[in-house]
Amino acid sequence: MSAVITGTGVAVPPNVVTNDDLARIMDTSDEWIRSRTGVVSRRFVDPGTATSDLAAEAALAALSDAGLHGGDVDAVVCATMTPDHQNPGIAGAVQHKAGLGTAAVFDLRQQCAGFLFGLDLADMLISTGRAATVVVVGAEVHAGYLPWGDAWEIVLGRSDRAPTAEERVRATRHRAWSVLFGDGAAAAVLQARAGRHGILGSVLRTDGAHADLIEVPGLGSRHRPYADAAQIAAGLHHPTMNGAGLYRMAVETMPAAVREALAAAGCGLDELDLVVAHQANDRILEGARRRLGVDAAAMPSNIAHWGNTTAATLPILYHELRRQGRVGPGSLVAFTSFGAGAHWGAVLYREPGTDEAA
Ligand SMILES: CC(C)(COP(=O)(O)OP(=O)(O)OC[C@H]1O[C@@H](n2cnc3c(N)ncnc32)[C@H](O)[C@@H]1OP(=O)(O)O)[C@@H](O)C(=O)NCCC(=O)NCCS
């Protein structure tokens, strides 16, 4: 049996934050962010909305798109780097909130590559006959770990006050990574179908030696106690990022993984219709695209309006492309991503033909 995507859905939060909004609380500019990353605006949830809330909404939308109900789901795979709590993971909450019965759940921790690894897990469950219907969700609420404190009310346009000197210094100290991210969620329903379509193959790689390219150094078993005021005061709950190192590794690994997946499936680069690549920033996309050797139209970007939504970028983009009619019967699509860990890879996917879709 092959794993075929039969439905997709998104859940995006209401609060749009532009680069100019960020420039109100830190030393940055629309020009700097746009030219370095491609991001024009991103969205954030209101306080009180957790990752599992967005994830459950996206899962329900994807099920509705597939014409299914909660009771039809055998397994739920959730990828996030911003879970509701330290533990448990969000998959159980998503299952419960979306009414997915007692389906088996899996929580994945591959950050920006989480949805990619989730597609492969769904394929394994379906191709081995362990499940007939799997929901894979990528979801993030980054808002809680952005270092803006009370200045959030300025960012969201709910206060006209100027930031304090301390707020501006702190936001500026974290500007290199904080301007990249946005909240969002999306899901795909994968179902067992006979035929040579659906997921054709996957290449998944991890090199733990590069885990420090982007990591959150505090809050974990490395520390005793695992969370305390000293870690917060030292800012260890915020990520540290080697932006140049990430760029170099991402632009090499994603094209290599796509080529390897194509070769393993006996497909040529010229047969690829779309590359659905992680939306970390437009310069990475462009570097990866040139190394892979595909046209700009074949490797779309939507980072301008969402920012980097980590595990949610692939399914949000794929959902948009389906809605725009860019994924047609028989389309050959390569999903590819690179994430903190470091994890990367590619999943090759063939949309069923018109006579095979049922
Ligand atoms: C983060 C990234 C955009 C930074 O771009 P860059 O051109 O490499 O910029 P640098 O880090 O060299 O910083 C250049 C200058 O811009 C400043 N700068 C950093 N962020 C800024 C911001 N938001 N606004 C204005 N200036 C900023 C730096 O402080 C530095 O100033 P200095 O020269 O006075 O020290 C780039 O490295 C990148 O895209 N890396 C990949 C990161 C990524 O995708 N992360 C997501 C993880 S999966």
Side-chain angles (χ1 to χ4, degrees):
M1 280 291 173
S2 303
V4 169
I5 297 173
T6 57
T8 58
V10 300
V12 290
N15 303 307
V16 179
V17 169
T18 65
N19 295 338
D20 287 333
D21 293 331
L22 296 184
R24 298 176 67 199
I25 65 153
M26 66 176 81
D27 297 345
T28 193
S29 66
D30 177 54
E31 195 283 323
W32 194 98
I33 300 172
R34 220 182 257 250
S35 63
R36 298 296 216 291
T37 73
V39 181
V40 176
S41 62
R42 70 289 288 146
R43 288 179 177 232
F44 291 113
V45 298
D46 280 316
T49 301
T51 303
S52 68
D53 298 321
L54 286 187
E57 189 184 330
L60 283 171
L63 280 171
S64 164
D65 186 43
L68 297 175
H69 301 286
D72 299 323
V73 176
D74 301 311
V76 187
V77 180
C78 290
T80 187
M81 73 164 190
T82 51
D84 301 12
H85 310 287
Q86 173 84 1
N87 69 68
I90 67 163
V94 173
Q95 178 225 53
H96 177 62
K97 288 176 185 174
L100 307 182
T102 53
V105 303
F106 300 84
D107 278 287
L108 298 189
R109 295 289 309 267
Q110 275 79 14
Q111 290 55 252
C112 300
F115 186 82
L116 192 78
F117 278 62
L119 285 179
D120 189 51
L121 176 53
D123 183 41
M124 286 190 262
L125 291 167
I126 287 172
S127 60
T128 55
R130 299 287 299 275
T133 301
V134 182
V135 180
V136 184
V137 192
E140 306 289 352
V141 169
H142 295 111
Y145 85 174
L146 290 166
W148 301 334
D150 290 341
W152 263 107
E153 61 187 18
I154 306 172
V155 171
L156 295 177
R158 293 172 188 174
S159 169
D160 286 336
R161 75 173 175 87
T164 65
E166 190 192 333
E167 285 170 339
R168 181 168 278 278
V169 166
R170 190 177 50 184
T172 300
R173 191 186 319 134
H174 294 285
R175 64 185 176 178
W177 62 269
S178 63
V179 300
L180 304 174
F181 295 101
D183 298 342
V189 176
L190 288 99
Q191 292 187 270
R193 293 281 186 271
R196 258 196 62 74
H197 46 222
I199 294 182
L200 303 182
S202 303
V203 171
L204 300 184
R205 298 277 186 269
T206 292
D207 186 347
H210 296 289
D212 59 354
L213 283 176
I214 179 166
E215 66 173 357
V216 178
L219 310 185
S221 61
R222 172 77 52 211
H223 303 272
R224 191 163 304 182
Y226 78 91
D228 61 13
Q231 290 178 59
I232 305 291
L236 300 184
H237 57 308
H238 298 310
T240 57
M241 183 177 84
N242 172 353
L246 278 170
Y247 175 90
R248 280 194 297 273
M249 204 165 166
V251 297
E252 296 294 342
T253 54
M254 288 192 285
V258 172
R259 285 182 182 280
E260 194 178 334
L262 284 168
C267 298
L269 187 63
D270 56 344
E271 294 174 61
L272 257 188
D273 294 295
L274 279 173
V275 182
V276 178
H278 176 50
Q279 308 286 302
N281 72 53
D282 268 346
R283 292 203 307 189
I284 289 181
L285 271 182
E286 177 59 15
R289 186 190 68 75
R290 275 191 277 105
R291 282 166 178 81
L292 182 59
V294 296
D295 294 341
M299 198 155 162
S301 166
N302 67 356
I303 196 171
H305 301 298
W306 306 120
N308 180 354
T309 56
T310 304
T313 70
L314 294 186
I316 290 177
L317 179 57
Y318 189 65
H319 174 83
E320 290 181 341
L321 293 168
R322 284 181 90 216
R323 284 286 180 275
Q324 293 159 10
R326 303 262 321 262
V327 186
S331 290
L332 187 63
V333 181
F335 293 89
T336 185
S337 196
F338 179 89
H343 311 284
W344 68 93
V347 169
L348 196 61
Y349 179 77
R350 170 87 69 191
E351 189 72 8
T354 37
D355 53 340
E356 307 170 308

